[in-house]
Amino acid sequence: MATLKEKRAQQNKIAIFGFFAILIIVFGFALLYWQNSDVGRDENNCPLAGPQAYTAIILDQSERYSASHIQAVKALFDQWLKGNFTGTHKEFNEKAFSTDARLELFVMKNSEINSIEGVKPVLSKCIGLRPENISTTQSIFVNSEFLNEDLEEIVETFDEEITRQLNTPNNPLSATSPLMEMVVSVSNSSFLKNDASKPHYLIIVSDMIQESKEFSHRRISTDFNIWEENYRHVRGDLKSSEVQLIYLNRIDDKTTQNRKHVIFWEDFFNYLNAKIVSVISR
């Protein structure tokens, strides 16, 4: 028969075991909550462990666009940000606008392109969890109504910035469009200084017409070989980024904007260690 001392010792063991069991359960529940809720995110709505992909968006607002152009661009970004992916460009946009991809919005500014610091994003955010992507486990911890509100806020933020930038020509008088210099500057920006092990995507919203003092598609040529012969000193490395062009057609530039023009950009991005995988004409 156990003595009183032995009984107390046994009770103490049970109490200690119970304490640690409760501690393990609480810790496990907290870990599960952390992994499946949206609390583990930084001020840009990105995972604390870091984004799973990086997407740079370049807005070329060097020349004014029509209202229909702006409406078309806004409609595309609206559906991608909300997770509506269809058509032949579905695979690229699913990756570029994934929930944990960091989106960085760049606008063309000559002052930044020519500065030592280089270009900086005007907007940098991750989309975060979308309601339709919530798993069964996550549904225990996440309020889908709050996610909808967060998503609408992000969509609205990008919508307002895109509208503002495309409605504000950078060079209304000189009408210069140093797009190649802008791409090279982005290749040296924060976009490619991020985790090189993660995929990088580049989206350009532009008429894609290079127009600068050094080189012009209108005045000189859309033959890449002619550019390369004179500008081999221009270097950049997009580190195998995949590129999508939102190619905005201008009525007055039909002689410039053609298949040869697209080939110029295919060669240019190959030169910068990247590849055009999608061209959306609007």
Side-chain angles (χ1 to χ4, degrees):
M1 186 173 178
T3 64
L4 181 62
K5 186 175 182 181
E6 288 173 336
K7 285 182 179 179
R8 285 179 177 174
Q10 188 175 9
Q11 289 173 346
N12 287 339
K13 287 180 181 178
I14 293 172
I16 293 171
F17 176 80
F19 172 77
F20 280 108
I22 292 170
L23 194 64
I24 290 170
I25 291 170
V26 170
F27 178 77
F29 186 83
L31 180 62
L32 194 64
Y33 174 74
W34 182 264
Q35 290 175 335
N36 292 282
S37 71
D38 57 350
V39 297
R41 294 182 175 272
D42 62 19
E43 67 277 7
N44 293 316
N45 205 35
C46 295
L48 292 178
Q52 295 305 302
Y54 295 89
T55 301
I57 302 163
I58 296 177
L59 291 183
D60 171 13
Q61 30 61 284
S62 53
E63 297 182 49
R64 189 174 295 280
Y65 295 106
S66 67
S68 60
H69 275 144
I70 297 173
Q71 291 165 8
V73 170
K74 288 171 62 176
L76 286 172
F77 279 96
D78 183 81
Q79 69 180 48
W80 294 335
L81 288 165
K82 290 180 178 177
N84 300 323
F85 308 112
T86 58
T88 56
H89 317 292
K90 177 181 178 182
E91 184 179 350
F92 173 89
N93 291 303
E94 278 182 333
K95 295 182 292 184
F97 291 90
S98 62
T99 56
D100 290 333
R102 181 169 181 149
L103 309 181
E104 295 189 332
L105 182 64
F106 294 87
V107 296
M108 190 180 295
K109 295 179 181 178
N110 287 345
S111 58
E112 289 189 358
I113 293 173
N114 299 318
S115 70
I116 295 174
E117 294 79 13
V119 294
K120 297 179 178 63
V122 297
L123 198 57
S124 180
K125 278 188 175 295
C126 285
I127 297 170
L129 288 173
R130 294 187 180 98
E132 67 272 16
N133 299 136
I134 299 174
S135 67
T136 304
T137 307
Q138 287 173 326
S139 65
I140 301 171
F141 304 98
V142 176
N143 188 321
S144 60
E145 289 185 9
F146 289 161
L147 287 185
N148 270 319
E149 291 176 5
D150 292 343
L151 182 58
E152 286 297 331
E153 183 180 340
I154 289 172
V155 172
E156 186 177 339
T157 300
F158 273 90
D159 182 86
E160 289 177 353
E161 192 64 36
I162 289 170
T163 303
R164 187 174 73 84
Q165 295 296 344
L166 292 182
N167 268 320
T168 312
N170 189 27
N171 304 298
L173 298 177
S174 58
T176 58
S177 181
L179 186 54
M180 298 164 80
E181 292 85 344
M182 179 66 181
V183 172
V184 171
S185 189
V186 168
S187 77
N188 295 316
S189 72
S190 59
F191 168 58
L192 284 166
K193 291 177 182 176
N194 295 311
D195 189 347
S197 67
K198 302 292 170 60
H200 286 69
Y201 306 99
L202 176 62
I203 299 172
I204 303 178
V205 180
S206 173
D207 57 17
M208 301 308 296
I209 298 176
Q210 169 74 16
E211 189 64 57
S212 66
K213 183 174 65 175
E214 289 76 19
F215 193 79
S216 167
H217 283 159
R218 293 186 181 107
R219 291 180 289 103
I220 300 176
S221 177
T222 55
D223 186 333
F224 178 77
N225 293 323
I226 292 176
W227 177 85
E228 189 178 21
E229 287 173 5
N230 296 284
Y231 297 98
R232 288 181 181 172
H233 60 281
V234 177
R235 303 300 300 178
D237 186 0
L238 288 169
K239 299 178 181 176
S240 302
S241 297
E242 292 184 7
V243 182
Q244 176 171 265
L245 306 183
I246 301 178
Y247 190 98
L248 303 179
N249 292 285
R250 294 190 183 275
I251 296 174
D252 298 332
D253 282 299
K254 291 181 179 179
T255 56
T256 302
Q257 293 181 304
N258 48 40
R259 177 57 188 154
K260 183 181 178 183
H261 188 220
V262 175
I263 291 173
F264 175 94
W265 288 106
E266 289 174 352
D267 292 339
F268 179 73
F269 281 107
N270 286 337
Y271 177 80
L272 295 182
N273 188 23
K275 182 181 180 181
I276 294 178
V277 298
S278 171
V279 178
I280 299 175
S281 182
R282 288 293 185 271

